[in-house]
Amino acid sequence: MNTELHEFGKGFIPSLRFLTDAYTVGYFMTSVNLFRVYFHKGQNWQPRKIGEYVFEAFDAFQGKPGIVSTTMLMDETEGLKLEENFIMGQSHAETFFGAMAGILPQSDPDPIVLKAREMAPPLQKMLLSVGNQKVSNDAGFQLAISHLTVKKWIEQNYG
């Protein structure tokens, strides 16, 4: 993916604009909390532990040295919660997480899922042709979901 967020030879380089974007914040916070609950069994964690988990994940996401402080992250999150793009980021994170975790049925009537089902067969074929690595039966669908959600957003806004 060729965007302003990726420099050849240096990898992902998030900008302040990207890290404080309503969509990005909604997508990030939702993804991290889904990982906390589903993979780390963190639904009953104390608020302090949840905060430490989120802040550690954000520091890993933005890289060192970070350009957004944890205080700024919390302020941005609170200020963006009602914005349309924040809500879209949340929705896309849920859809992507559900596809990756195998809990989003391909029969779901969501328009993104319907389009992903159409895109999945050629993507699956492409993934299988790349090499002999093990590819799940849902890999094409999962890749299509990412193309229709977060990848699309990044390319439209940072491409």
Side-chain angles (χ1 to χ4, degrees):
M1 182 168 24
N2 187 22
T3 71
E4 68 183 61
L5 303 172
H6 188 274
E7 189 174 324
F8 185 73
K10 293 186 179 179
F12 177 64
I13 304 171
S15 64
L16 179 61
R17 182 171 77 93
F18 176 75
L19 292 170
T20 57
D21 178 279
Y23 178 94
T24 303
V25 175
Y27 190 96
F28 174 81
M29 295 301 283
T30 301
S31 295
V32 168
N33 282 304
L34 287 168
F35 271 93
R36 174 182 57 82
V37 169
Y38 285 97
F39 291 120
H40 299 287
K41 309 294 186 229
Q43 59 268 30
N44 295 319
W45 287 0
Q46 295 298 315
R48 180 181 175 124
K49 185 172 181 177
I50 293 170
E52 290 170 350
Y53 180 85
V54 170
F55 296 151
E56 192 64 34
F58 188 72
D59 284 344
F61 177 62
Q62 74 171 326
K64 298 283 184 187
I67 56 176
V68 175
S69 69
T70 53
T71 303
M72 186 176 179
L73 172 65
M74 296 315 295
D75 289 345
E76 288 293 327
T77 301
E78 200 54 43
L80 298 172
K81 283 184 177 178
L82 298 177
E83 286 195 23
E84 184 179 328
N85 289 337
F86 183 91
I87 295 165
M88 183 190 328
Q90 289 180 303
S91 176
H92 285 179
E94 290 169 354
T95 302
F96 183 69
F97 182 89
M100 296 305 291
I103 56 177
L104 175 67
Q106 292 190 28
S107 60
D108 191 291
D110 182 299
I112 291 173
V113 174
L114 297 174
K115 180 70 176 161
R117 262 196 346 242
E118 292 174 15
M119 293 171 60
L123 290 172
Q124 185 76 17
K125 186 175 180 180
M126 182 270 305
L127 288 169
L128 289 168
S129 71
V130 171
N132 61 1
Q133 71 272 15
K134 185 174 180 167
V135 175
S136 80
N137 292 337
D138 291 330
F141 175 72
Q142 294 164 340
L143 184 58
I145 292 288
S146 74
H147 280 256
L148 295 167
T149 57
V150 66
K151 183 177 187 289
K152 180 179 177 181
W153 175 265
I154 289 172
E155 287 177 342
Q156 286 176 342
N157 293 278
Y158 300 93

